[in-house]
Amino acid sequence: MRLEPRDHLPPWLALATPLIAVAAALALAGGLIALAGAPVLRAYGLIVTEAFGSRLAATETLTRAIPLILTGLAAAVAFRARLWNIGAEGQLYLGAVAAVTVSSLLIPDWPPIVQIPVLLVAGAAAGMVLLLLPLWLRLWFQVDEVVTTLLLNFVAVLFVSMLIDTVLKDPMAFGWPQSLPISDNGMLPRLVARSRLHVGLLIAVALALVVWFVQARTTFGLQSRAAGLSPGGAVFAGVPLGRTLVLVAMISGGLAGLAGAVEVMGVKGYVTTDLSPGYGYSGIVVAMLAGLNPLGVVAAALFTAMMYVGADGMSRAMGIPTYIADVTVALSLLSMLVALFFTRYRIRR
């Protein structure tokens, strides 16, 4: 028995791979639910019902999916070019604090039609800066960006914590560590009345379409894919590797920073150190479940958001720990990695 590389990947297998991975993860997680003494099918039914069974549940699930789409796109863009951006969490926090700083201190009275785009650009720019530093260290000193981007997450969160305890501290928060609020003119409009769902959903889906078009239909998209498949071959073919990676870093970091700006402008209204429950890390799972496909990121983000929101309701109804959602998402990633391996290789006897 031996492993043999596949000459080509059949389209049906590419489509079936994430479905098989999710099915395997649900089967494995179902074993844990059964060990907890709960009926598996009823538990999964409750997850779906609690995530989409009412207007409130559906809007909350879609709201949770917005930052997951953006951080998933950030990871997908970077990983496609073999730029291992593990720092989306820190980039998200810097994007959020940049939006708050510009809105509360610089342009609080600007009208929404001007202020909202400026805040989005500010958040994206902050995320770009945090990723360009590790890229510079990689290009000039061959420093592994996995380590630098991961460690910069902690630096970014501590930096944000310092700001909201000092210059950005809200004097009306009665000592609670939170930033000054986004001005009313800087908040994103609601998509559904009496809910938290905001136009950030339209922004995220539109960006997924734009990223797909850029990757599939432009010269830059071809260059970024070539840089990921074979950096040496790409340079030999005339691809400007350094410039391509800089553009990839700007897009990836910008999307992660934008996730923070959208989250603070659409939901929270201010920054705290618990702004993100791990959206930056979950975005990596979303990107891998999607096979680094920007359109698949939207579906993967909805699945992940459904698991997180639905598991909360299911745990209350059945007495099962909510951590089952984290386990299921993690198993989905592991299953996807195994499935991707067998899409590249076949077993020969």
Side-chain angles (χ1 to χ4, degrees):
M1 184 179 295
R2 61 187 174 84
L3 293 173
E4 179 182 276
R6 295 180 184 271
D7 296 329
H8 68 282
L9 179 63
W12 67 267
L13 185 57
L15 293 174
T17 297
L19 299 179
I20 294 172
V22 169
L26 292 176
L28 292 171
L32 298 177
I33 294 175
L35 287 175
V40 177
L41 294 181
R42 181 168 178 262
Y44 283 146
L46 278 173
I47 287 177
V48 175
T49 302
E50 294 293 334
F52 294 106
S54 66
R55 176 179 175 276
L56 174 62
T59 55
E60 282 298 307
T61 301
L62 292 174
T63 302
R64 181 73 71 92
I66 295 170
L68 291 173
I69 293 174
L70 293 171
T71 55
L73 288 173
V77 168
F79 290 3
R80 178 75 72 179
R82 205 174 289 184
L83 174 64
W84 308 115
N85 179 16
I86 316 297
E89 185 80 357
Q91 294 149 24
L92 181 150
Y93 271 96
L94 275 196
V97 82
V100 165
T101 301
V102 173
S103 176
S104 60
L105 298 182
L106 301 180
I107 56 171
D109 299 323
W110 286 22
I113 195 171
V114 178
Q115 183 171 165
I116 289 176
V118 170
L119 300 186
L120 294 176
V121 170
M128 290 180 193
V129 170
L130 193 60
L131 184 53
L132 285 174
L133 175 59
L135 178 61
W136 176 74
L137 292 173
R138 168 183 163 174
L139 294 177
W140 285 92
F141 302 103
Q142 289 74 53
V143 178
D144 187 353
E145 72 273 15
V146 173
V147 176
T148 52
T149 54
L150 177 62
L151 294 181
L152 278 175
N153 286 331
F154 303 100
V155 175
V157 173
L158 289 173
F159 176 69
V160 169
S161 178
M162 180 196 72
L163 290 179
I164 64 178
D165 274 328
T166 54
V167 294
L168 288 182
K169 186 172 184 178
D170 185 2
M172 303 301 294
F174 303 104
W176 184 258
Q178 72 181 45
S179 73
L180 294 167
I182 293 275
S183 72
D184 292 339
N185 291 342
M187 295 296 291
L188 293 174
R190 293 283 182 262
L191 275 181
V192 178
R194 300 189 306 279
S195 76
R196 300 200 303 169
L197 185 61
H198 52 85
V199 298
L201 178 64
L202 302 181
I203 295 173
V205 173
L207 286 173
L209 292 171
V210 170
V211 171
W212 171 83
F213 179 82
V214 168
Q215 288 193 342
R217 296 291 187 269
T218 66
T219 302
F220 168 71
L222 177 62
Q223 291 174 339
S224 65
R225 293 200 306 274
L229 291 172
S230 174
V235 172
F236 182 79
V239 174
L241 187 61
R243 187 177 70 184
T244 300
L245 289 178
V246 168
L247 291 175
V248 167
M250 292 177 67
I251 295 172
S252 177
L255 287 166
L258 188 64
V262 167
E263 184 70 5
V264 77
M265 294 166 61
V267 179
K268 296 283 287 188
Y270 53 85
V271 177
T272 60
T273 53
D274 61 351
L275 172 70
S276 167
Y279 290 133
Y281 302 110
S282 298
I284 298 173
V285 180
V286 168
M288 296 304 298
L289 282 177
L292 306 185
N293 185 306
L295 299 182
V297 163
V298 178
L302 285 174
F303 167 75
T304 305
M306 178 192 73
M307 291 305 302
Y308 284 137
V309 174
D312 287 339
M314 183 268 292
S315 68
R316 290 192 297 270
M318 304 185 69
I320 297 176
T322 56
Y323 294 113
I324 195 66
D326 298 308
V327 172
T328 304
V329 171
L331 287 173
S332 299
L333 174 60
L334 294 175
S335 302
M336 188 64 185
L337 293 176
V338 174
L340 286 175
F341 178 81
F342 285 106
T343 60
R344 297 181 181 180
Y345 298 90
R346 58 163 59 94
I347 299 176
R348 289 292 191 190
R349 298 186 60 136

